[in-house]
Amino acid sequence: MINDLHHPTPTTAKRQALYGHAGGVIWLTGLSAAGKSSLAMALEKALCARGYVCCVLDGDTLRAGLNANLGFSPEDRHENVRRVAEVAALFAQAGLVCITAVISPYREARAHARQCYAQNFHEVHVAADLSACEYRDPKGLYRKARAGELVDFTGVSAPYEPPLNPEIRIDTGSETLNASLDTLLQYVLHHIPLRA
């Protein structure tokens, strides 16, 4: 049986040559219903169409699998973000552009996420305000939180600490998805360019 641990893996430079771009983490943070997942999926599609190798880590999907054992206490929220950050860093180290869509309400936890892949980490504040998110409320979560049916719900009964110095802020409360995507796409194309 071959032990793969003893075989050399491709270097970062070889991965960049193979994929045509550096690996990176695009970390979307914001309130529930701010548009993080929609923006992440649209960005992935736009980047793939241009030849990027990328993936999306969506908070809801991860909570249904990898993080299914976690609740919404402050400790569990920190652990949720820690796990997502470690997985995102692994994808980025492998040369992919990893786009996360995670509420990640605490600055301290997001700072840890940045440390996991500091060389190419980009914090994106998806900055729809609470009233816009409550108006959208596609899953009825704000309504349930206001009725006391959900505890520790970010923005209602649990805090959200907006980024103080994100790399980019996207106001999905006042912009269309297409306008928000264009702003974010141009940012990524500039900061993680395809190599000729």
Side-chain angles (χ1 to χ4, degrees):
M1 184 175 190
I2 296 173
N3 186 342
D4 288 336
L5 294 176
H6 297 292
H7 291 270
T9 59
T11 64
T12 298
K14 286 181 180 178
R15 290 182 193 279
Q16 289 184 11
L18 177 65
Y19 296 142
H21 58 79
V25 175
I26 311 299
W27 190 278
L28 278 60
T29 175
L31 293 169
S32 179
K36 298 180 301 299
S37 295
S38 297
L39 189 54
M41 300 298 181
L43 179 62
E44 179 189 35
K45 182 177 179 181
L47 289 174
C48 285
R50 287 163 174 78
Y52 284 78
V53 181
C54 49
C55 65
V56 170
L57 295 178
D58 180 73
D60 288 343
T61 303
L62 291 168
R63 278 193 173 273
L66 177 67
N67 296 336
N69 65 318
L70 298 176
F72 293 92
S73 68
E75 296 78 15
D76 281 359
R77 288 176 184 272
H78 277 282
E79 177 60 14
N80 179 60
V81 172
R82 188 194 70 77
R83 292 182 192 179
V84 176
E86 295 290 348
V87 173
L90 290 172
F91 278 120
Q93 289 165 9
L96 283 70
V97 176
C98 184
I99 307 157
T100 72
V102 187
I103 292 172
S104 47
Y106 302 118
R107 293 185 187 115
E108 180 183 354
R110 294 194 304 268
H112 170 79
R114 182 182 294 276
Q115 291 171 358
C116 289
Y117 200 72
Q119 61 265 48
N120 210 355
F121 183 96
H122 306 268
E123 186 177 42
V124 180
H125 184 197
V126 182
D129 63 25
L130 182 60
S131 60
C133 294
E134 288 202 62
Y135 178 77
R136 292 173 183 163
D137 200 13
K139 301 172 191 171
L141 298 178
Y142 284 99
R143 179 182 49 76
K144 290 179 181 178
R146 295 290 184 194
E149 297 171 26
L150 291 177
V151 297
D152 295 327
F153 188 77
T154 304
V156 176
S157 52
Y160 177 76
E161 300 171 356
L164 298 176
N165 295 295
E167 276 72 17
I168 183 170
R169 183 179 184 274
I170 306 289
D171 187 356
T172 56
S174 62
E175 295 180 341
T176 65
L177 176 60
N178 285 340
S180 296
L181 172 61
D182 185 61
T183 301
L184 183 54
L185 177 61
Q186 294 309 312
Y187 173 88
V188 175
L189 294 177
H190 178 74
H191 288 87
I192 309 178
L194 282 173
R195 302 178 192 280

